[in-house]
Amino acid sequence: YRLTGQERRGLGLWGAMTQFVGRHAEIEILRSRMAAVAHGRGQLVDVGGEPGVGKSRLLWEVTHPLHVDGWLVLEVGAVPYGKMTPYLPVIDLLKIYCGIAERDDQRTTREKVIGKLHALDPKLEVAKPAFLTLLEVAVDDAEWQGLDPAERRQRTLDAVTGLLLRESQAQPLALVFEDLQWIDAQTQALLDSLVESLPGARLMLLVSHRTEYAHDWGSHTSCTHLRIEPLPRESAEALLDVLLGNDPGLDTLKRLLIERTDGNPLFVEESVRALVETGALTGDRGKYLLARDLP
């Protein structure tokens, strides 16, 4: 097969985003925390839950409007194969922030990094070796080359933390880190540093993870934990109305789907898609009819 495109995680498998249902309490909590950030009280919202319950979609719903409200939103995620690769999500974050493309060579990357640092605050250029090293650009700096690994790690941590905090002074900043169950130790250290720096910063740290991930942030007053459960029956029914439609002949199928998926929105969507692909449902999205009796 030839890959022709990539879908964003958490947005469904229909070529367009499924209507968002439920999660009203969670949305209100997130919005209240963002209001606090806008007034200089940094916040961490920690979103946990099983696969498919809608963690990514929830974060998208609250961060999408921020793009037009004067915020800078930076979104990255950990991947299963990246746990042993130091700073992998941080490197992705820097590439997004500096506008670095995959095709950019070392010279172009260097120019973009230096230009971005200078535009934000010329004082940040002292940390240039740390950023360039993360991006695998050659560094001609004798002092930097003479540092031992522990000193380099600390300088790198200070550089990235300082950059993000300085950016939050220029505009409210929302950082989205997804799938922390696969995070590497160095990126975890960066998150810990940012959490300690939240008081007084216009920084919203939004993280998501599966239930097996554990952290030590619970004692911080700026930390809010949200456990996302499967959709309650009423919300699951509303989602199925959107996906299937309101034909009375679908009522038995809807009850069966809610029972079998336990209200997990991803499982609901996948099940409906499977029924369409196998010919059990006919018609268009939101206007389906049952093509044959249910076994």
Side-chain angles (χ1 to χ4, degrees):
Y1 291 93
R2 180 171 61 89
L3 181 65
T4 59
Q6 182 172 331
E7 293 180 346
R8 190 190 192 285
R9 292 175 302 164
L11 300 188
L13 300 169
W14 300 85
M17 196 181 303
T18 304
Q19 180 179 319
F20 188 67
V21 299
R23 313 297 191 202
H24 304 295
E26 292 88 347
I27 288 287
E28 288 307 310
I29 290 172
L30 283 160
R31 287 175 177 167
S32 70
R33 301 302 184 271
M34 286 177 173
V37 170
H39 289 88
R41 300 191 303 275
Q43 300 288 316
L44 162 69
V45 178
D46 162 39
V47 180
E50 297 293 339
V53 294
K55 302 182 295 295
S56 296
R57 179 62 187 274
L58 174 66
L59 294 180
W60 190 91
E61 286 293 326
V62 296
T63 56
H64 182 64
L66 298 180
H67 288 279
V68 294
D69 287 343
W71 286 63
L72 175 63
V73 181
L74 300 174
E75 304 169 82
V76 293
V79 290
Y81 55 82
K83 199 163 188 176
M84 301 305 294
T85 304
Y87 303 109
L88 188 57
V90 180
I91 293 167
D92 290 340
L93 184 76
L94 286 175
K95 287 180 177 179
I96 294 169
Y97 179 72
C98 296
I100 297 169
E102 291 298 324
R103 65 181 181 274
D104 288 342
D105 57 19
Q106 288 203 5
R107 179 179 178 180
T108 303
T109 299
R110 181 190 301 274
E111 290 173 350
K112 287 184 176 181
V113 170
I114 295 174
K116 192 72 173 179
L117 295 177
H118 185 79
L120 178 61
D121 188 340
K123 294 178 182 178
L124 292 171
E125 290 189 42
V126 68
K128 178 178 62 177
F131 297 120
L132 294 177
T133 299
L134 282 174
L135 295 168
E136 297 184 332
V137 175
V139 175
D140 184 17
D141 186 305
E143 181 190 1
W144 175 258
Q145 300 295 347
L147 297 176
D148 63 38
E151 290 174 321
R152 282 200 188 189
R153 282 195 298 270
Q154 188 59 52
R155 292 260 191 115
T156 300
L157 177 64
D158 293 343
V160 179
T161 302
L163 172 67
L164 295 174
L165 292 175
R166 179 63 184 86
E167 182 62 53
S168 75
Q169 295 174 5
Q171 59 189 326
L173 175 60
L175 294 178
V176 181
F177 281 82
E178 296 205 61
D179 292 316
L180 295 192
Q181 70 274 3
W182 296 317
I183 205 168
D184 63 273
Q186 285 78 7
T187 303
Q188 180 66 61
L190 172 64
L191 291 177
D192 293 340
S193 176
L194 289 172
V195 170
E196 295 294 338
S197 304
L198 284 174
R202 290 194 300 173
L203 175 60
M204 182 77 174
L205 190 56
L206 296 164
V207 301
S208 72
H209 55 82
R210 296 180 183 177
T211 51
E212 63 265 27
Y213 173 79
H215 58 72
D216 299 322
W217 302 327
S219 60
H220 289 266
T221 57
S222 57
C223 176
T224 301
H225 176 69
L226 294 180
R227 172 65 184 264
I228 307 300
E229 302 290 349
L231 293 172
R233 175 169 289 274
E234 180 179 328
S235 296
E237 289 173 347
L239 176 59
L240 283 168
D241 287 344
V242 172
L243 296 174
L244 295 174
N246 297 302
D247 184 82
L250 298 171
D251 290 347
T252 300
L253 174 61
K254 290 178 180 178
R255 288 195 297 271
L256 182 61
L257 284 171
I258 293 173
E259 176 187 331
R260 295 291 179 86
T261 64
D262 194 30
N264 183 300
L266 176 62
F267 299 168
V268 169
E269 288 199 63
E270 288 283 0
S271 298
V272 172
R273 180 179 182 179
L275 290 169
V276 173
E277 291 181 345
T278 57
L281 292 170
T282 61
D284 298 319
R285 184 184 184 195
K287 299 178 182 179
Y288 284 118
L289 299 173
L290 201 60
R292 54 178 181 264
D293 291 338
L294 291 172

